[in-house]
């Protein structure tokens, strides 16, 4: 009935929101701080649904993200590939659909693991996201552009860890904070009971905070040493 329609609208609204927040964290919009919470609506939407549903929702979020982020493909195909507009637009959809598959797999694997072991599911988030970014950089000749970590290119103190971990380190840090954001949302929504113990939620949030602070400290050290 009416309640089901409202829940459906909310669910898809959360999914679309995640896609748009991811895009907004990149240039030219450039609200890079949004990357640190962009995945939370997606994660919250898929942690209780079936494997197939989580895959579908992840695909929609990815499609919204890459369609709005990779709009330049149409211009590139038209100008340099000499394709007419009616072919350039389908190329964009095919390209965005391929990239969206990685978000779909991320959502499905997270949902599956979370149901088996809730703490492990939350801890897995940054490792899973980075593994898929790494795979994307090589699979089918690779597309190592527009990784999540690249959104922080103006945050000099944060990106100094790239000298050790590359862009993947920044992506890891962002998704780690998003996983902590999920734990906070679960607590606020009162869904900790039957989901995961409160002490584990606190541990995840604390761990993310410690890693974030250590990243800033290292960044400050590296910038000072280079200035010297």
């Amino acid at each position: 009935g009416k309640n089901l329609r409202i829940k459906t609208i909310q669910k898809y609204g959360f999914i679309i929101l995640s896609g748009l927040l991811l895009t907004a964290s990149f240039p030219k919009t450039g609200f890079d701080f949004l990357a640190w919470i962009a995945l939370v609506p997606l994660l919250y939407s898929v942690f209780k649904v079936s494997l197939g549903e989580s895959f579908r929702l992840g695909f929609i979020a990815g499609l919204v993200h890459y369609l709005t982020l990779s709009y330049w493909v149409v211009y590139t195909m038209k100008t340099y590939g000499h394709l007419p507009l009616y072919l350039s637009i389908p190329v964009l959809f095919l390209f965005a659909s391929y990239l969206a598959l990685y978000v779909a797999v991320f959502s499905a694997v997270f949902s599956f693991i979370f149901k088996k072991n809730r703490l492990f599911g939350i801890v897995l988030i940054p490792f899973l996201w980075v593994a898929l970014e790494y795979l994307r950089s090589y699979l089918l000749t690779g597309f190592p552009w527009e990784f999540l970590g690249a959104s922080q290119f103006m945050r000099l103190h944060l990106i100094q860890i790239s000298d050790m971990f590359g862009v993947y380190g920044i992506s890891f840090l962002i998704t780690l904070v998003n996983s902590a954001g999920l734990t906070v949302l679960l607590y606020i929504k009162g869904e900790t009971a039957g989901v995961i113990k409160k002490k584990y939620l606190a541990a995840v949030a604390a761990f993310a905070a410690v890693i974030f602070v250590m990243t800033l400290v290292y960044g400050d050290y590296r910038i000072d040493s280079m200035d010297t």
Side-chain angles (χ1 to χ4, degrees):
K2 183 178 180 181
N3 289 336
L4 180 61
R5 287 196 299 271
I6 292 174
K7 287 183 179 180
T8 301
I9 292 172
Q10 288 177 339
K11 177 173 65 176
Y12 284 101
F14 267 33
I15 294 302
I16 293 171
L17 177 63
S18 254
L20 294 177
L21 287 175
L22 284 169
T23 297
S25 65
F26 284 83
K28 295 181 178 179
T29 306
F31 297 115
D32 55 11
F33 60 91
L34 293 176
W36 302 89
I37 59 169
L39 291 174
V40 175
L42 172 62
L43 293 167
Y44 184 75
S45 298
V46 303
F47 84 89
K48 287 193 287 189
V49 302
S50 67
L51 184 65
E53 178 74 353
S54 60
F55 183 92
R56 185 164 64 88
L57 293 174
F59 181 81
I60 293 171
L63 189 62
V64 170
H65 172 42
Y66 289 112
L67 279 176
T68 52
L69 184 64
S70 304
Y71 61 89
W72 50 267
V73 169
V74 172
Y75 175 81
T76 302
M77 291 294 99
K78 185 175 181 296
T79 305
Y80 302 105
H82 307 294
L83 286 179
L85 189 61
Y86 67 84
L87 289 179
S88 299
I89 292 176
V91 167
L92 170 61
F93 272 87
L94 287 172
F95 179 64
S97 296
Y98 165 69
L99 295 177
L101 288 174
Y102 289 93
V103 184
V105 171
F106 167 77
S107 301
V109 173
F110 162 70
S111 178
F112 177 79
I113 297 297
F114 189 88
K115 291 183 181 69
K116 301 292 183 181
N117 187 310
R118 291 153 184 165
L119 177 60
F120 185 60
I122 288 179
V123 171
L124 180 69
I125 290 170
F127 295 96
L128 178 59
W129 184 274
V130 169
L132 288 168
E133 282 195 342
Y134 185 81
L135 180 64
R136 176 156 70 87
S137 68
Y138 291 100
L139 189 64
L140 301 176
T141 74
F143 186 76
W145 295 358
E146 298 172 343
F147 287 159
L148 191 54
S151 65
Q152 305 302 305
F153 76 102
M154 291 293 288
R155 304 293 178 179
L156 296 184
H157 285 77
L158 281 174
I159 64 176
Q160 296 308 309
I161 61 170
S162 298
D163 62 0
M164 295 184 291
F165 306 111
V167 67
Y168 304 109
I170 313 300
S171 293
F172 183 92
L173 183 63
I174 294 171
T175 46
L176 176 65
V177 172
N178 273 272
S179 68
L182 175 64
T183 66
V184 171
L185 183 58
L186 290 173
Y187 180 81
I188 291 174
K189 298 288 286 186
E191 298 192 38
T192 51
V195 176
I196 190 171
K197 292 181 179 179
K198 291 182 179 180
K199 64 179 180 180
Y200 293 145
L201 294 178
V204 171
F207 178 74
V210 168
I211 297 299
F212 187 84
V213 170
M214 288 176 63
T215 299
L216 291 177
V217 169
Y218 177 76
D220 187 63
Y221 161 75
R222 284 294 294 155
I223 290 174
D224 284 348
S225 64
M226 284 186 283
D227 285 346
T228 300

